[in-house]
Amino acid sequence: EDQVTQSPEALRLQEGESSSLNCSYTVSGLRGLFWYRQDPGKGPEFLFTLYSAGEEKEKERLKATLTKKESFLHITAPKPEDSATYLCAVQAGAGNMLTFGGGTRLMVKP
Amino acid sequence: NAGVTQTPKFQVLKTGQSMTLQCAQDMNHEYMSWYRQDPGMGLRLIHYSVGAGITDQGEVPNGYNVSRSTTEDFPLRLLSAAPSQTSVYFCASSRVSNTEAFFGQGTRLTVV
């Protein structure tokens, strides 16, 4: 059974204080790892897809990296508008299912 | 661009009632799916479709039915609502299954 665990569950940062969110996974045959951002009362919004270990992608203050066991979402000099819940999901094997982690709620104080 | 549109946004049902949650996308995506999101449980896949006429079960399919008669629409039916189905429901679509998914704004359902 595919498992995805995100840590920490919640993270409070001061504006400008860089940090990382972790997504560890146990799957057989990873086909893709996805990062989403979700604001309160909204649907998840796509950020990145990573397909193989060693891959990295960047978007503004966010950088996602992937190893064979985990992915990190690095946030550099965050701003209050980066406050949201960040979700990680994996797709593995021959099926079409996405398995989501529980999310990390990020709060950035000005 | 409308993207993925879900209706209604809010719904209150009595136990035993039936209803259909609507989902439509205008991006000509083949893959569509329904999730429920509960506190502490994350997003869980209910049903999905890889194209018109083809549907399959996800992780938590019991109590829900789907059909896919067109590429654009993927309705979710609750046959006999139960309090355990109180949740926020999201519909998503993607070009193929392992590419970025676009989510609707969600339907908040309460079963009393």
Side-chain angles (χ1 to χ4, degrees):
Chain A
E1 182 180 325
D2 299 339
Q3 289 194 329
V4 181
T5 303
Q6 291 188 246
S7 62
E9 288 186 10
L11 180 62
R12 294 177 185 266
L13 298 174
Q14 287 296 127
E15 184 172 2
E17 180 187 2
S18 301
S19 188
S20 297
L21 282 55
N22 178 263
C23 171
S24 62
Y25 61 90
T26 305
V27 301
S28 179
L30 181 72
R31 293 173 58 203
L33 185 140
F34 305 82
W35 282 98
Y36 289 87
R37 169 190 170 128
Q38 187 175 24
D39 293 300
K42 305 279 189 180
E45 178 185 346
F46 173 78
L47 292 173
F48 304 108
T49 308
L50 302 167
Y51 291 106
S52 58
E55 192 173 357
E56 299 182 352
K57 291 200 175 163
E58 287 188 67
K59 179 181 179 180
E60 296 181 358
R61 295 176 293 282
L62 300 176
K63 179 180 178 180
T65 62
L66 181 65
T67 72
K68 289 185 178 180
K69 294 183 179 180
E70 58 193 348
S71 177
F72 291 94
L73 186 65
H74 306 278
I75 303 176
T76 302
K79 298 182 178 182
E81 54 261 42
D82 294 321
S83 297
T85 296
Y86 291 85
L87 303 171
C88 167
V90 298
Q91 189 178 49
N96 294 294
M97 291 176 54
L98 267 184
T99 301
F100 279 84
T104 294
R105 184 177 172 220
L106 174 66
M107 294 155 281
V108 182
K109 300 285 189 180
Chain B
N1 284 343
V4 178
T5 302
Q6 289 184 237
T7 56
K9 287 186 168 53
F10 302 94
Q11 183 71 49
V12 178
L13 287 179
K14 293 183 178 179
T15 297
Q17 286 185 316
S18 63
M19 79 160 295
T20 300
L21 279 62
Q22 301 291 344
C23 175
Q25 53 94 5
D26 61 0
M27 296 171 283
N28 201 32
H29 285 167
E30 290 297 320
Y31 185 80
M32 296 186 74
S33 51
W34 276 102
Y35 293 87
R36 59 179 290 174
Q37 188 172 37
D38 304 291
M41 300 292 290
L43 279 155
R44 292 180 293 168
L45 182 65
I46 304 171
H47 285 286
Y48 66 93
S49 170
V50 298
I54 306 169
T55 63
D56 206 346
Q57 296 181 352
E59 181 184 357
V60 288
N62 291 342
Y64 307 95
N65 275 359
V66 292
S67 60
R68 183 100 179 266
S69 57
T70 67
T71 299
E72 295 79 19
D73 300 299
F74 191 43
L76 178 72
R77 297 182 189 85
L78 280 71
L79 304 176
S80 177
S84 61
Q85 294 178 304
T86 293
S87 186
V88 181
Y89 291 84
F90 289 101
C91 177
S93 77
S94 58
R95 185 174 54 82
V96 294
S97 63
N98 68 333
T99 58
E100 62 179 288
F102 295 82
F103 283 79
Q105 292 296 295
T107 295
R108 185 173 293 275
L109 175 68
T110 302
V111 182
V112 297

